[in-house]
Amino acid sequence: MGEPRRPDRVAEAIREQVATFLAEGAKDPRIRGFVTVTAVDVTRDLRHATVFVSVMGEADAIKATFEGLASVATHLRSMLGKTLRLRNAPEIHFKADESIARASRIEQLLAQVRN
């Protein structure tokens, strides 16, 4: 049986690489707004990686950003395979992470209660 923590290490490496790619190398004009990679979840067999991203902006900009992310997923998969030297690079799936927006909303509600 393999190391149980390897998927965690691979997930962290993927998170760093995807964040760097989105900050520096994403050429798709649909990826706009403030995009933050919050977490990556990798299956035990390292075949699939779910990348949780938080996108700040208006609803149409968020939708366009996720379309752009979906279109660069295959390029990103290829890049990750080469950079991380993985035999089989995981399939990349992007998913919205609402935790930052939810935390902001809770802070607003608490501020209203205090006043």
Side-chain angles (χ1 to χ4, degrees), residues 40-52:
V40 175
D41 187 25
V42 179
T43 57
R44 286 178 59 171
D45 64 357
L46 303 178
R47 298 279 184 186
H48 299 276
T50 303
V51 179
F52 294 93

Side-chain angles (χ1 to χ4, degrees), residues 84-104:
L84 302 179
R85 296 183 182 162
L86 297 172
R87 184 179 305 150
N88 295 313
E91 220 175 285
I92 306 294
H93 308 282
F94 288 98
K95 189 171 182 183
D97 185 2
E98 303 294 331
S99 63
I100 294 174
R102 194 175 311 124
S104 175

